[in-house]
Amino acid sequence: MDLQLDGRILGFDEEKREIDVLLLPWDTDAEQADGVHRFGRGAFADVDPKRIVLRQRHQDPPTGRGIALSDEDDGQHARFKISKTLAGDEQLALIRDEVETGISVGFDVSDNRKER
């Protein structure tokens, strides 16, 4: 089961093909069929950013990969490197033209811990 929360694009460097995003805010409830999920500060401490892929839509092939994670006051931030592909070029153009301003974050919660 995937949990999806909305984040937002904070900035990008088109020349480097990198974008900075707020993945999700801390301590925000997200209701799913299996219950309510909340991500607290430190939830991503053991996550390798390279395991996070960027896509234009959830089922599309990846257009990039995470290169950094940052635990900030407002939530979990990430930096992605967008690949030099047609789909990556399209994604950069949509970000540059402010067609894409947000992100939808999907998580596999099948092995989540039941904690408060």
Side-chain angles (χ1 to χ4, degrees):
M1 175 177 295
D2 284 340
L3 167 65
Q4 296 177 13
L5 299 171
D6 291 329
R8 68 180 181 274
I9 298 170
L10 301 173
F12 77 104
D13 184 325
E14 192 166 2
E15 188 174 306
K16 289 183 177 179
R17 303 182 68 85
E18 294 179 2
I19 63 170
D20 293 306
V21 303
L22 169 65
L23 288 178
L24 53 87
W26 299 132
D27 301 321
T28 301
D29 290 343
E31 192 168 345
Q32 282 285 103
D34 67 335
V36 176
H37 299 272
R38 178 183 289 186
F39 291 86
R41 196 166 196 159
F44 292 78
D46 296 329
V47 176
D48 179 354
K50 293 176 183 173
R51 294 192 64 211
I52 303 173
V53 296
L54 182 68
R55 303 172 193 275
Q56 280 190 294
R57 287 160 292 281
H58 285 280
Q59 300 305 316
D60 285 355
T63 56
R65 180 166 302 285
I67 58 174
L69 289 171
S70 176
D71 186 324
E72 303 293 336
D73 288 340
D74 62 341
Q76 186 65 51
H77 289 224
R79 175 170 286 172
F80 291 91
K81 178 79 168 186
I82 298 176
S83 299
K84 183 80 171 117
T85 63
L86 290 176
D89 292 348
E90 178 183 345
Q91 191 163 33
L92 277 175
L94 293 170
I95 293 168
R96 179 187 61 239
D97 295 344
E98 297 181 358
V99 174
E100 287 186 358
T101 58
I103 62 168
S104 179
V105 181
F107 295 91
D108 178 0
V109 295
S110 59
D111 191 30
N112 65 326
R113 293 179 296 192
K114 304 288 184 195
E115 298 178 356
R116 280 190 79 82

